[in-house]
Amino acid sequence: MHHPSSLRNRGPILEKILKLIGSKTEGLKVFEIASGSGSHMELFAKELPGISWQPTEYDQARIPVINEVLKDYKNVKPAYELDTRSEDWGVPKDSQDIVYTSNVTHISPFSVTKALFTGSSKILKPGGMLIVYGPFKVKGAFTTDSNKDFDTSLRSQNPEWGYRDVSELEREATAVNMVLKGVADMPANNLLLHFQKLDSDSNL
């Protein structure tokens, strides 16, 4: 049911998330974009039962799969269909502590990435975090030849797909009162980017 890569990377991702949020997890609300098969949340919800988790997914056909995988977790709400480019994400403004997504920006049009930041800035509480995992370019360069080859393959399938540069995401964050706080190296040549929503009266 789960892709092998999602089973491999979810543990290291959880370790990084734990370092970011610290020990005070009780009552936090996490909103996941593109939950896929529910693989990541399956582990996260088990290890962090004090957090309320909200899965979402662009592909409507995956919604029943996600809900079946996560049905026994009382701290997980039912998944629902969501396109980040929608005006309404289904939760109140300033209500979420964390927005999390993985492996989305390189296999979707850049409009999806732009909307990821616009929507996250609306639903995150001031000081809330956006965590983005996946493969990226850094300062205009691919981190490995294999990443360059994969980018070429993606663009041959859809010219709107492809690796984004970290600076592109940082620019989108700045435009909606968010700031890049950290970039962590991850297994399989991926990165974990950590953004924070600033208070309304904060300046960059």
Side-chain angles (χ1 to χ4, degrees), residues 56-139:
T56 69
E57 173 54 45
Y58 175 77
D59 184 355
Q60 188 177 24
R62 290 183 173 183
I63 302 299
V65 176
I66 297 169
N67 287 331
E68 177 64 23
V69 168
L70 302 173
K71 66 181 181 181
D72 294 329
Y73 295 94
K74 299 187 183 303
N75 57 330
V76 177
K77 297 181 179 180
Y80 58 85
E81 184 181 358
L82 178 68
D83 185 329
T84 62
R85 294 165 292 191
S86 301
E87 286 292 323
D88 183 4
W89 278 18
V91 293
K93 181 180 178 181
D94 298 337
S95 64
Q96 305 297 302
D97 297 286
I98 298 171
V99 174
Y100 167 75
T101 192
S102 66
N103 290 320
V104 168
T105 62
H106 62 299
I107 53 171
S108 59
F110 192 66
S111 59
V112 171
T113 296
K114 289 175 68 72
L116 170 66
F117 284 91
T118 302
S120 294
S121 70
K122 293 178 181 178
I123 70 169
L124 281 171
K125 300 174 183 177
M129 293 185 288
L130 168 61
I131 299 172
V132 185
Y133 169 87
F136 298 94
K137 292 188 291 184
V138 179
K139 296 181 179 179

Side-chain angles (χ1 to χ4, degrees), residues 133-136 143-147 163 184-191:
Y133 169 87
F136 298 94
T143 56
T144 65
D145 288 339
S146 61
N147 275 358
Y163 282 34
D185 291 325
M186 300 295 289
N189 304 312
N190 288 314
L191 299 175

Side-chain angles (χ1 to χ4, degrees), residues 31-61:
F31 189 94
E32 184 179 23
I33 301 290
S35 298
S37 67
S39 171
H40 285 187
M41 194 169 288
E42 181 181 42
L43 178 64
F44 299 172
K46 177 183 177 181
E47 297 299 324
L48 295 167
I51 291 179
S52 174
W53 303 87
Q54 177 61 70
T56 69
E57 173 54 45
Y58 175 77
D59 184 355
Q60 188 177 24

